[in-house]
Amino acid sequence: MSGGISDETHEARDQDAPDAEGRTTMLIGIDWGGTKIEGIAMTPEGQQIARLRADTPRHDYDGCLAVIADLVAKLEAEAGGTGTLGIGIPGSLEPKSRLGKGASSTWLLGRPVEADLRRVLGREIRVENDADCLAASEAVDGAGAGFNVVFAVILGTGAGAGIAVGGRAHHGPNNSAGEWGHNPLPMPNLTELPGTPCYCGKHGCMETWVSGRAFRADYLRHAPADIDPETVTSPGIIEAMRQGDRLSGLIWQRYVDRVARGLSLVVNALDPDIFVMGGGMSNVEELYLDLPTVLARYTFSTVFHTPIRRAVHGDSSGVRGAAWLWR
């Protein structure tokens, strides 16, 4: 197994309620990410019992399955019982074959992900896209609570989105609802055509413009020739922008403009009740100050009143949403 498992939190279990057979009643969620795999055990009311994480064995499909099985076993050992199990994956499942598709973790593509997880775990499971899990989590008891249509955006290593309606993830007949990251950048200028290649085989996908990785790459394209790329990070660029660095400020303004163009199509087509933002770039405070005004300039409507809020549960939103799949 790649990487050790760390115990993030282990809270008191006095809220655990045994079922008729004396087992702990709980919900277990697994967030199968590209860099880490995280697991949580919660009470049906959403109180955390235990939380563990491990490094993702990148490009090692069987290794990932082994890590997930190990995490589930350790979570249930800590909680003293078994629970329902939901898993969020970085991609989705083809509706008929149930093979992995659209995954930024390309080693899932074409794999019988659901069947293999059932085999290694020896039980019934529910598998959904990680952005759908984020949307459901925030719709149930996060930033989107009380809103009917929640559009949850991930601006992290990659970029994507999920939709929750009435507190439940919406998928569509192709299991592709919310695949915002693989639409082209709207209203591109000449310097943005045809766009950089995306792992999906197309050029100029939103993910290649608005992910944290894309933000850093845009800065490096214009940075002084003598700068060491290894020293450049997205948080570092943001801090330089706050200190008044002109290049960093221009890169940030262009980043916000591209996010705004991408989300304007969502407003025009869906007009969700709220945008909930997740992923590393969602932690930049300036996003919530700058984005609404720019986004309003691109929407068809003459008014823009949609709230844009940071995910309440932060990095835990995906894993909590996976657990909520059995809610």
Side-chain angles (χ1 to χ4, degrees), residues 63-220:
C64 289
L65 297 177
V67 169
I68 292 170
D70 195 41
L71 278 174
V72 171
K74 285 180 166 61
L75 286 168
E76 293 187 331
E78 288 201 25
T82 59
T84 57
L85 181 54
I87 300 174
I89 64 173
S92 58
L93 301 178
E94 199 279 328
K96 293 184 178 180
S97 70
R98 308 302 287 175
L99 299 179
K101 71 180 182 74
S104 54
S105 297
T106 53
W107 54 98
L108 275 69
L109 297 176
R111 297 277 195 163
V113 178
E114 191 173 48
D116 286 341
L117 285 168
R118 286 194 177 114
R119 172 176 53 80
V120 299
L121 294 165
R123 70 178 74 181
E124 183 59 33
I125 58 173
R126 292 182 180 174
V127 181
E128 299 291 356
N129 171 260
D130 54 359
D132 288 343
C133 290
L134 165 68
S137 172
E138 292 295 321
V140 170
D141 62 354
F147 293 88
N148 186 44
V149 181
V150 177
F151 194 88
V153 181
I154 295 177
L155 300 174
T157 304
I163 304 170
V165 180
R168 293 182 179 273
H170 170 70
H171 306 112
N174 305 301
N175 210 10
S176 291
E179 286 290 0
W180 175 73
H182 294 282
N183 287 289
L185 177 70
M187 295 165 276
N189 60 48
L190 288 176
T191 68
E192 295 168 332
L193 293 172
T196 56
C198 182
Y199 73 86
C200 73
K202 299 183 177 68
H203 283 73
C205 291
M206 284 301 304
E207 179 164 316
T208 68
W209 297 112
V210 301
S211 66
R213 184 163 43 195
F215 175 68
R216 176 180 176 272
D218 196 28
Y219 176 88
L220 287 173

Side-chain angles (χ1 to χ4, degrees), residues 11 15 19 23 58 76 81 89 93 99 112 122 132 156 159 164 180-181 197 233 236 249-250 285 300 304-305 317 319:
E11 298 182 355
Q15 298 295 317
D19 64 15
R23 298 174 301 183
R58 292 182 59 79
E76 293 187 331
I89 64 173
L93 301 178
L99 299 179
D132 288 343
W180 175 73
T233 64
L250 290 172
E285 293 288 346
F300 178 72
F304 177 73
H305 299 306
S317 287
V319 73

